[in-house]
Amino acid sequence: MKKKTAKTFFNENFRNGLKKISLVIFITVLIWVWADLSQDESYRDSSAIITIPSVTDPALWVRFEKGNAAEFRLKQVKVEGPVIRIAELKRDIAEGLFQLRFSLDARDLNLAESETPYNIALTPILRESAELRKRALKITECNPENVMVLVTRLVEKPVKIICYENTTKLENAEITPAQINMFVPPKWEGQALQASINLTSLMLSRARKEPIQARPVIELAPGITRQAETSVTIRLPENGINLIDKSVQGSLGFVVSPEILDKYKIEMDKYNMDLFTTTMKIKATESAFAAYNSQKYKLLLEIKAEDAQKDPAIATPVFNFPEEYVRRGEIMPGEKLDSAQFRLVPRN
């Protein structure tokens, strides 16, 4: 058995001593780093958003008073927590992996219908964020500190359904049923009682081949919509022509033979003539409207020989639509015309 020399024994003790010193230094540094990272730090963020989730009661409309919106951007929030957690939060926000988004639930706050807005303190709500708790973080301040919330009880009323292609109203859309019941603000009356369906290109193409189903939408406030619980059926003409409401200044011309004009003068009182020189409503494409509007006489009244035996003679004018546009289905009356009363007075 080989005996250890004094030199060997010294070297082993020296190495063991160095290991112990190195371990003590490492542990000390680790404790310092951990203590430093465990200290609380604050971070102020200006991208936080608080939202009001949809309520289960369709007759209840809960929103922020400002803009009638269901979403509100906070000017600033102060987040506090360990240095390492704050660093992780900053990194995740910068990389788009996390957003400070909070929820204001009307059920948790027991909000009921009220004509006056509720003044809600925000900091207690933000502190309950489950996401921040997981990160060992908390909200200690926010700006604004309070927010005003409105709660309105909606009422069920029948609304008319209108179809659009982008912003163009589809006059020739066949909608079944033409109106349905929806929950709307109590003050809505008349023209306000409308729900819309905006058809995409794919929906337009399908609706020209077969009936399609869609759910109408009402706009409670700009950008704030509610969708109907039920669907309606939509069918469009196969030719795909969409007519637009137009107004045109009326003018009346006569269709009469030279023989009748040789014998008679056409007399019509001013009141009766005024019926056909006021603004009239039609439905047309832009090109059809331009062609029709350029014509001298917008209406034509046919005069017959037997009208001379009547006092007064009564007949209904017709719209003087360009034939090519009528054949293509690009123009049609928007209102029913009155009957004209006139007399054929002998020239002698």
Side-chain angles (χ1 to χ4, degrees):
M1 183 175 179
K2 189 176 180 181
K3 295 183 179 180
K4 293 183 180 180
T5 64
K7 184 178 181 181
T8 302
F9 183 77
F10 174 79
N11 288 338
E12 287 182 357
N13 285 341
F14 182 74
R15 283 195 296 268
N16 290 335
L18 284 177
K19 288 180 180 178
K20 291 179 180 179
I21 293 172
S22 298
L23 182 61
V24 170
I25 293 173
F26 173 75
I27 293 174
T28 303
V29 171
L30 187 62
I31 292 172
W32 286 345
V33 171
W34 179 253
D36 184 57
L37 293 178
S38 298
Q39 290 181 357
D40 279 355
E41 185 178 77
S42 64
Y43 163 62
R44 294 185 181 272
D45 184 88
S46 58
S47 65
I49 291 174
I50 184 166
T51 61
I52 298 176
S54 300
V55 295
T56 53
D57 185 355
L60 208 60
W61 179 24
V62 186
R63 73 277 189 198
F64 295 108
E65 183 183 37
K66 185 177 181 180
N68 284 317
E71 187 173 281
F72 183 81
R73 181 177 291 276
L74 300 170
K75 293 180 180 179
Q76 192 178 81
V77 294
K78 183 180 178 182
V79 188
E80 290 188 0
V83 173
I84 190 170
R85 297 299 189 182
I86 292 292
E88 290 173 353
L89 177 67
K90 289 180 180 179
R91 181 199 62 204
D92 289 348
I93 291 176
E95 295 179 0
L97 302 176
F98 183 75
Q99 183 183 18
L100 289 171
R101 197 173 187 91
F102 306 95
S103 178
L104 191 159
D105 198 318
R107 293 167 296 184
D108 293 342
L109 298 173
N110 295 319
L111 302 184
E113 177 188 11
S114 174
E115 293 186 0
T116 57
Y118 290 91
N119 189 353
I120 308 295
L122 290 177
T123 305
I125 296 174
L126 306 188
R127 282 177 181 162
E128 298 300 317
S129 170
E131 289 296 325
L132 288 184
R133 283 185 174 184
K134 290 178 184 178
R135 293 171 173 262
L137 299 171
K138 62 181 178 181
I139 299 292
T140 56
E141 293 179 19
C142 68
N143 182 14
E145 295 180 351
N146 296 67
V147 68
M148 307 302 287
V149 174
L150 291 170
V151 182
T152 302
R153 174 66 59 177
L154 304 178
V155 296
E156 196 171 23
K157 292 185 179 183
V159 296
K160 181 182 178 181
I161 313 301
I162 300 174
C163 284
Y164 290 90
E165 178 185 4
N166 295 324
T167 57
T168 302
K169 183 180 177 181
L170 302 179
E171 298 288 353
N172 51 4
E174 182 182 330
I175 307 171
T176 308
Q179 66 178 28
I180 61 173
N181 288 336
M182 290 188 70
F183 286 101
V184 300
K187 294 182 180 179
W188 279 21
E189 298 291 345
Q191 292 298 316
L193 294 172
Q194 293 184 356
S196 64
I197 299 174
N198 202 344
L199 299 180
T200 63
S201 299
L202 179 60
M203 294 170 72
L204 287 166
S205 177
R206 285 182 50 213
R208 292 181 181 123
K209 298 175 183 177
E210 61 184 7
I212 65 170
Q213 300 285 317
R215 291 164 64 186
V217 170
I218 59 169
E219 190 173 45
L220 296 172
I224 310 300
T225 59
R226 283 278 184 94
Q227 193 173 51
E229 296 293 330
T230 56
S231 299
V232 297
T233 302
I234 304 164
R235 184 195 296 269
L236 294 175
E238 291 185 9
N239 60 14
I241 298 174
N242 299 321
L243 306 183
I244 305 169
D245 285 332
K246 294 288 186 180
S247 296
V248 64
Q249 188 65 40
S251 56
L252 182 64
F254 299 102
V255 179
V256 58
S257 67
E259 291 80 8
I260 295 177
L261 284 180
D262 285 343
K263 296 179 181 180
Y264 301 98
K265 295 185 294 183
I266 304 170
E267 289 188 354
M268 183 181 293
D269 62 57
K270 184 179 183 303
Y271 169 77
N272 206 243
M273 180 62 80
D274 288 345
L275 292 176
F276 310 106
T277 56
T278 57
T279 302
M280 304 180 304
K281 295 180 180 179
I282 65 168
K283 301 176 185 291
T285 61
E286 293 292 351
S287 57
F289 172 74
Y292 177 59
N293 199 39
S294 65
Q295 297 184 149
K296 181 177 181 180
Y297 296 114
K298 308 302 186 299
L299 302 173
L300 295 177
L301 180 64
E302 184 179 6
I303 306 297
K304 302 176 182 179
E306 55 265 31
D307 291 332
Q309 312 303 318
K310 302 172 184 178
D311 187 18
I314 299 176
T316 303
V318 296
F319 286 91
N320 187 24
F321 293 142
E323 284 298 324
E324 59 179 305
Y325 293 103
V326 174
R327 286 194 302 270
R328 294 202 295 261
E330 293 188 32
I331 194 166
M332 62 184 294
E335 60 182 35
K336 186 177 180 181
L337 295 175
D338 294 313
S339 296
Q341 296 186 22
F342 59 94
R343 292 178 178 80
L344 295 180
V345 181
R347 290 187 178 277
N348 60 356

